[in-house]
Amino acid sequence: MLPFSQAAENNKGPILEVLREYLTAPGTLLEIGAGTGQHAVWLAPRFPDIGWTPSEQPEHLHDLNRRLGAEPAANLRPAIPLRVQEAWPLGPFEYIFSANTFHIMSADQVTLCIEQACRRLSAQGRFCVYGPFHYDGQPTSDSNRRFDQSLQARDPAMGIRDQEWVVARFADQGRALLGDHAMPANNRVLVFG
Ligand SMILES: C[S@@+](CC[C@H](N)C(=O)[O-])C[C@H]1O[C@@H](n2cnc3c(N)ncnc32)[C@H](O)[C@@H]1O
């Protein structure tokens, strides 16, 4: 049995609609923290001109590559190891996509992820990040408040990030917020470029 995420099944359609606005030219895409690979196998064939490289922490690569092997697509490449605080692929990439990772990584790891990613993003490149965010330090829903509390109980380094803090980290790298899209289940897609 392959690892399965019901949330990824539910959010892949709404994520596709937003990505269609931004993944408009041929190029290469790096996906960070691809998890079960459900996003990769479903999204990649819908962008046939984009070479899609999923990545994951080394301990999760085997299962991820099993999913990619079970549902191949011409433009979907084998997954590569990537822990954001360790060695990165060279790039450049026209696109970077990451779902539900910024609240799992520590704040220092998110900062590092943004720094390293922006160095590998082409000048016109776009970074699309999906997940829950707080605004002005406040959760956007009671469910996000509870989710944040449960993350911090699991590991105090985890937690939902403030949208403004994420925008500032990208601004430090010379990348501006191009879009901030409301998504189902109190999630967002933030797009930087
Ligand atoms: C909640 S899962 C999201 C998986 C998938 N993107 C999704 O939306 O279903 C978070 C993922 O982030 C990855 N992750 C956590 N810390 C990481 C780090 N420091 N570097 C790279 N990936 C990391 C985990 O391995 C995990 O697969």
Side-chain angles (χ1 to χ4, degrees), residues 85-100:
Q85 61 274 36
E86 296 176 1
W88 277 65
L90 279 182
F93 300 97
E94 279 70 39
Y95 306 103
I96 295 181
F97 167 66
S98 194
N100 285 318

Side-chain angles (χ1 to χ4, degrees), residues 5 8 31-35 39 56-57 60 82-85 99-101 103-105 109:
S5 158
E31 180 179 355
I32 299 170
H39 286 141
E56 247 305 338
Q57 302 195 83
H60 301 309
L82 174 57
R83 209 189 309 277
V84 299
Q85 61 274 36
N100 285 318
T101 51
H103 58 276
I104 302 294
M105 296 174 192
Q109 289 169 357

Side-chain angles (χ1 to χ4, degrees), residues 89-191:
L90 279 182
F93 300 97
E94 279 70 39
Y95 306 103
I96 295 181
F97 167 66
S98 194
N100 285 318
T101 51
F102 280 14
H103 58 276
I104 302 294
M105 296 174 192
S106 69
D108 283 351
Q109 289 169 357
V110 174
T111 300
L112 201 56
C113 176
I114 293 169
E115 274 175 26
Q116 294 291 333
C118 288
R119 280 187 208 162
R120 287 157 180 85
L121 207 52
S122 65
Q124 301 302 318
R126 287 160 177 189
F127 189 126
C128 305
V129 57
Y130 168 89
F133 293 94
H134 289 172
Y135 287 75
D136 293 326
Q138 294 302 315
T140 58
S141 66
D142 284 344
S143 63
N144 277 1
R145 184 189 306 276
R146 287 193 297 274
F147 181 46
D148 190 41
Q149 287 167 349
S150 72
L151 287 168
Q152 294 197 17
R154 210 168 115 195
D155 180 345
M158 291 185 186
I160 296 179
R161 309 295 159 207
D162 283 349
Q163 188 260 20
E164 297 84 357
W165 179 83
V166 174
V167 171
R169 300 289 72 75
F170 275 95
D172 289 344
Q173 305 304 316
R175 308 280 176 163
L177 181 68
L178 301 181
D180 179 346
H181 300 260
M183 303 294 283
N186 304 301
N187 286 299
R188 315 290 300 187
V189 174
L190 309 181
V191 183

